[in-house]
Amino acid sequence: MPELPEVETVRRGLNQFTLNQKITGGDVLLHRTIAYPSSPSEFVTAIQGSAIAAWHRRGKYLLAELSDSGGALGVHLRMTGQLLWLQQDEPLHKHTRVRLFMAENRELRFVDQRTFGQMWWVPPDVPVESVMTGLGKLAVDPFSAEFTTEYLATKLQKRRRPIKTALLDQSVVAGLGNIYADEALFLSGVLPNTLCTDLHQEQIERLRSSIIQVLQTSIEAGGTTFSNFLNVKGVNGNYGGVAFVYNRDGEPCRVCGTAIKRTKLAGRSSHFCEQCQRAS
DNA sequence: TATATTTCCTGACTGC
DNA sequence: TGCAGTCAGGAAATAT
C-alpha cells in the first residue's frame, strides 16, 4: 500500500518521464475513480490539450501542475493504485481504471485493483483544498522544517488515544501509513498502544527523528515490496527485506530475538517487540 | 469536540 | 476441487 516513500518514488518517476507531455485524450474505464468533476467526460475534456508542468507531493497526494492555466490534476493511489508510463499498445491490465494519452503513442495508465484510488481535476483559480478536501486538514510534511518536536508535541498533547492511531491520522503527520508507523514506533522504542498523553518529551523527540529516518531510508531504496507497489516503470522497490516489525508476527526481533507480536488498534494490525518497545 | 467504528473493494488465504 | 468466510488497509462518513 503506497505510503509517503512510495508516492515520492512515483512522483520522481513522473517528473522524469512525463514533464511537458501534452495530454491528447483520455479514457475513464471506472467512473467512480474520478472524484471531480462528477462527469468523467468533463474530466477528460478539462485536461485535454494541457501539458504536465510539474508533479508535486502533499502527504500521499500527487498533484500535477497543468500548463497554460489548465488547473491541476490530483491523484491519490490509496491502497493499490499504480501510475504506469507505457506505450498505448501495451495490453490493458485487468484493473486499468483511467488512461491518459500523450504524444508518440505514450500513455499514463492508472491501474488500481481495489478501486479506492481517486483522481481530481482542479479548475484554475480555485483553491486546491476546495476540490481535494482531504488536503485541507493535512498536517505538515515530515521532511519540512515545520515538523519539529514542538509541533509533534502540540499535536499529541491532551490526546487520550494510542500513539499508533494518532500516527495514522493525516492531520497529525502527513504521509504515514500502517507500515511506516509500526517501523517508526519500533525505532523509537515506543509501544503502539501508549496513550499520547503518557508520552515523555524525549519519546516524542525520538519518534520525530525515527519517522524521518524510516521514511528517508525507504525513499532511498525506491519504496517497499510489502505490497504490489510498482514505480512508474513497473519495477518493485526493495525495502521489504529490512523491516523490523511490520508483517513479522511470530518471527524473532532483529535486535533482541524476542518474538514479534501483533495486536489490533483502530481496526489496523500493529506489530511490535515488547522487549525493545516500552510504554513509557 | 474527540475518538471509534463502518464502509468502500478485490484477491489471497483458510477451513471445511 | 469448490465454496464460504475472513482479512488486508486509506480516508470519508457515520456513530458514540
Side-chain angles (χ1 to χ4, degrees):
Chain A
M1 54 302 296
E3 300 181 28
L4 189 153
E6 290 76 35
V7 177
E8 178 61 20
T9 301
V10 170
R11 185 190 74 83
R12 292 178 182 186
L14 291 168
N15 271 336
Q16 190 180 348
F17 296 109
T18 71
L19 289 200
N20 304 314
Q21 293 282 338
K22 192 172 181 178
I23 301 167
T24 58
D27 189 10
V28 177
L29 288 86
L30 183 69
H31 288 194
R32 66 167 177 271
T33 301
I34 308 302
Y36 186 87
S38 55
S39 153
S41 60
E42 195 184 331
F43 169 81
V44 172
T45 305
I47 61 173
Q48 199 166 332
S50 293
I52 292 168
W55 284 94
H56 305 282
R57 180 188 57 75
R58 287 173 67 179
K60 300 176 203 172
Y61 290 84
L62 285 163
L63 206 56
E65 248 176 81
L66 299 179
S67 62
D68 303 324
S69 299
L73 171 68
V75 183
H76 198 304
L77 305 174
R78 289 289 203 275
M79 308 289 302
T80 53
Q82 296 166 0
L83 279 171
L84 300 173
W85 183 239
L86 303 165
Q87 292 289 332
Q88 288 178 28
D89 52 13
E90 192 90 12
L92 275 194
H93 305 69
K94 185 179 176 185
H95 305 295
T96 302
R97 308 307 182 196
V98 178
R99 306 174 72 193
L100 299 182
F101 303 123
M102 315 277 184
E104 295 176 355
N105 209 35
R106 300 266 190 184
E107 77 170 89
L108 187 59
R109 188 178 293 178
F110 186 61
V111 179
D112 183 21
Q113 181 194 101
R114 291 188 201 169
T115 75
F116 290 168
Q118 289 186 301
M119 299 178 102
W120 299 258
W121 172 60
V122 183
D125 305 321
V126 166
V128 177
E129 292 81 4
S130 68
V131 175
M132 299 168 68
T133 53
L135 288 176
K137 47 191 170 185
L138 203 60
V140 302
D141 197 90
F143 293 122
S144 71
E146 295 119 295
F147 187 60
T148 61
T149 305
E150 292 70 32
Y151 167 87
L152 195 55
T154 304
K155 284 286 186 182
L156 300 177
Q157 70 182 356
K158 297 177 185 168
R159 299 299 181 89
R160 289 197 58 78
R161 61 169 167 168
I163 181 62
K164 170 65 186 291
T165 309
L167 291 181
L168 293 178
D169 186 338
Q170 299 301 296
S171 69
V172 175
V173 186
L176 273 193
N178 209 33
I179 298 173
Y180 297 104
D182 276 4
E183 294 294 304
L185 283 167
F186 175 82
L187 287 180
S188 57
V190 175
L191 280 171
N193 61 354
T194 310
L195 293 182
C196 297
T197 46
D198 293 341
L199 286 170
H200 304 144
Q201 183 76 6
E202 61 269 32
Q203 286 179 303
I204 296 175
E205 168 54 36
R206 280 207 307 273
L207 197 49
R208 187 196 76 95
S209 55
S210 297
I211 289 168
I212 295 169
Q213 183 190 334
V214 72
L215 294 176
Q216 187 66 50
T217 303
S218 185
I219 288 172
E220 285 165 8
T224 177
T225 53
F226 295 130
S227 61
N228 48 3
F229 165 71
L230 301 174
N231 66 20
V232 293
K233 298 300 279 180
V235 177
N236 265 112
N238 54 9
Y239 182 76
V242 295
F244 282 105
V245 288
Y246 182 76
N247 212 18
R248 295 192 66 240
D249 50 310
E251 293 179 41
C253 171
R254 296 190 198 281
V255 173
C256 72
T258 304
I260 300 298
K261 290 202 166 177
R262 187 173 82 148
T263 187
K264 211 151 197 186
L265 289 167
R268 300 285 175 261
S269 54
S270 291
H271 310 79
F272 60 96
C273 170
E274 57 187 353
Q275 185 64 34
C276 296
Q277 294 169 260
R278 304 264 177 213
S280 58

